[in-house]
Amino acid sequence: MPTLKYGGIIEQMELKDKVYQLTTYNAIAAEGMERFERAKYAINENDDPDALILRSKDLHDITFNDSLKAIARAGAGTNNIPIQRATEAGIVVFNTPGANANAVKELVLANLLLSVRPILQGHEWIQNYKFGPDDDVEAIVEANKKQFAGNELEGKKLGIIGLGAIGAMIANDAYRLGIEVYGYDPYVSVDTAWSISRRVNRVMELDDLLKICDFITVHVPLMDSTRGMIGERELAMMKEDVQLYNFARGPIVDKEAVLKAVNDNRIGGYTTDFADADLLHHEKIRVLPHLGASTEEAEINCARMAAGNLKRFLQTGDIVNSVNFPSVQMSFNSPVRITIINRNIPNMIGKISTFVAEQGMNIANMVNRGRGDFAYTLVDLEELDHEKVERLVAKLEEIPDIVRVRAIEHPGQFFEEV
């Protein structure tokens, strides 16, 4: 089997019988891991993996091995992964957007109901009431139930900040409960826009949503631009009885600001799925133990999607659901595919094409996409001579702005849909 030298690394050309090394962190649902055929994948068998698959494991202090090509997160959030360091090393990071959306949606809807109906308080009262042996339990309960009278969701206004997979599902289901739904997302995708009911009111300015809604739920990723996006100014604009929900990431809501707001009776309450000692034991704050995606179905869906992302990338070079590189897919119908990660600079495609031509090879198909400072290219070659492919990869590695090159032999059959 020929070896290819690039990026300072000696790698074997990825022939169709190559066995890929995977390392898992956390417990990944068996339904996902079963997608890795044992003839093609070795799981946790050495310390030099081609790919990692994980859930919540923090990778910031972990040194990446030279052979590492991909990291798959079985979940949507990737703040436990050093994205920039992985990108600079040419490591593709995947997540599973939408795989756990239904689980989070159901939890948000449940908390909407808990906010207007004191169900938990009523349960706690009746469990702790000291009934005597001769008491008429039914009569006592009927006489005391008025203290647990609540309100209804119908006719109230719900504001959703972030109309991604989760926000869109909440929007569509909330209006069916009779709620007037308002959504804010300046970056909503075309696909999401098509999926959202026309009954959902799109708000162009966040301030407008904050002023009118009885309930506000946040569903945006944690980035520098969203850290603390709900702070003292935003809280001051909300209704005094508003209920605020954070099932996205803790730091999106300014902790000190929300504590001040509930203590000063400036908002009705705050619910968060992210435990923080400073938020515990407050009558207006409900803290949950990160239950958003904690359903059996969500864990299975995430594991399956993460496995599919990895398999497609490792065996064909296609990128789907990456957080640091563009989505690039191309039918694999030629004997060999070259994949190239490079800095996104002018004339790179010209250089690659020139190098291929100089080696006397014909390009059967080619696609290139850029994302920020980096780009990704697939080049399919009508070439059966592995030694010529080896020489081409060596030449491509000489281009200073190329970060990583792979040579993949056609897997021998059309790749399964994942």
Side-chain angles (χ1 to χ4, degrees), residues 48-357:
D48 190 28
D50 294 287
L52 309 177
I53 183 168
L54 68 148
R55 292 172 59 199
S56 58
K57 171 70 175 180
D58 191 339
L59 300 184
H60 283 87
D61 295 328
I62 289 180
T63 300
F64 295 145
N65 58 296
D66 289 340
S67 298
L68 187 64
K69 303 170 181 65
I71 300 170
R73 160 84 162 93
T78 55
N79 52 311
N80 57 321
I81 301 171
I83 302 296
Q84 187 59 37
R85 179 157 63 93
T87 305
E88 294 284 346
I91 298 169
V92 182
V93 179
F94 298 95
N95 70 344
T96 57
N100 59 13
N102 189 71
V104 179
K105 175 207 72 176
E106 290 185 358
L107 188 61
V108 172
L109 295 177
N111 277 273
L112 280 170
L113 290 166
L114 291 176
S115 293
V116 295
R117 301 294 297 273
I119 298 168
L120 299 180
Q121 296 91 323
H123 173 265
E124 185 177 1
W125 174 82
I126 201 170
Q127 291 292 326
N128 294 325
Y129 191 90
K130 304 298 183 183
F131 293 105
D134 299 322
D135 284 346
D136 185 336
V137 174
E138 184 176 353
I140 293 173
V141 168
E142 286 296 317
N144 285 273
K145 71 178 184 179
K146 289 184 178 180
Q147 63 183 303
F148 304 110
N151 301 103
E152 297 181 14
L153 291 173
E154 186 174 11
K156 304 300 190 300
K157 294 182 175 66
L158 169 66
I160 303 172
I161 302 173
L163 293 171
I166 297 171
M169 292 183 73
I170 295 170
N172 287 339
D173 282 5
Y175 91 83
R176 295 188 179 96
L177 296 175
I179 301 173
E180 194 173 334
V181 181
Y182 295 83
Y184 169 76
D185 191 336
Y187 309 108
V188 64
S189 68
V190 173
D191 289 342
T192 299
W194 277 105
S195 73
I196 297 176
S197 168
R198 59 182 176 83
R199 295 178 177 84
V200 175
N201 304 289
R202 187 178 178 193
V203 179
M204 303 309 295
E205 297 293 335
L206 177 59
D207 291 359
D208 295 335
L209 179 150
L210 298 175
K211 294 174 183 176
I212 64 173
C213 290
D214 304 295
F215 312 95
I216 297 173
T217 183
V218 182
H219 299 282
V220 297
L222 178 60
M223 303 181 293
D224 289 341
S225 59
T226 61
R227 187 178 296 273
M229 72 175 295
I230 304 298
E232 188 171 347
R233 174 187 173 277
E234 290 73 24
L235 290 163
M237 302 177 70
M238 298 178 187
K239 291 184 174 183
E240 289 189 359
D241 59 351
V242 71
Q243 292 288 330
L244 175 64
Y245 309 93
N246 180 7
F247 289 88
R249 283 293 182 266
I252 291 170
V253 175
D254 186 317
K255 177 179 66 175
E256 286 73 22
V258 83
L259 278 168
K260 187 176 187 302
V262 293
N263 288 332
D264 293 345
N265 295 316
R266 280 291 303 117
I267 65 171
Y270 176 56
T271 299
T272 178
D273 202 22
F274 307 97
D276 187 303
D278 294 332
L279 300 178
L280 301 178
H281 313 301
H282 195 294
E283 62 179 357
K284 289 190 174 183
I285 298 177
R286 183 185 301 124
V287 180
L288 303 179
H290 203 185
L291 297 178
S294 294
T295 67
E296 182 178 344
E297 294 87 347
E299 291 184 8
I300 291 172
N301 290 340
C302 287
R304 284 174 172 166
M305 185 181 289
N309 291 340
L310 272 186
K311 284 186 63 177
R312 181 176 291 278
F313 175 70
L314 291 174
Q315 292 181 231
T316 74
D318 283 358
I319 294 180
V320 181
N321 295 324
S322 171
V323 300
N324 60 339
F325 287 98
S327 292
V328 180
Q329 300 177 71
M330 187 171 71
S331 296
F332 195 170
N333 299 318
S334 297
V336 174
R337 169 167 289 179
I338 305 295
T339 78
I340 302 167
I341 293 174
N342 58 272
R343 297 194 177 277
N344 197 5
I345 62 173
N347 198 36
M348 183 59 71
I349 297 301
K351 291 180 181 178
I352 294 171
S353 299
T354 298
F355 275 60
V356 173

Side-chain angles (χ1 to χ4, degrees), residues 1-6 8-14 18 48-50 65-69 390 404-407:
M1 186 179 294
T3 58
L4 308 178
K5 183 180 186 300
Y6 50 89
I9 307 165
I10 298 294
E11 294 228 2
Q12 291 182 327
M13 179 175 174
E14 296 172 28
K18 174 180 170 60
D48 190 28
D50 294 287
N65 58 296
D66 289 340
S67 298
L68 187 64
K69 303 170 181 65
E390 179 179 356
R404 182 184 286 269
V405 182
R406 295 174 63 201

Side-chain angles (χ1 to χ4, degrees), residues 122 132 242 365 379 409:
V242 71
N365 208 354
V379 182
E409 186 181 34

Side-chain angles (χ1 to χ4, degrees), residues 19-40:
V19 176
Y20 291 99
Q21 300 290 329
L22 301 184
T23 294
T24 65
Y25 292 104
N26 314 118
I28 308 299
E31 290 84 350
M33 297 307 297
E34 287 169 357
R35 304 193 76 170
F36 296 112
E37 305 91 339
R38 292 302 179 259
K40 191 72 178 173

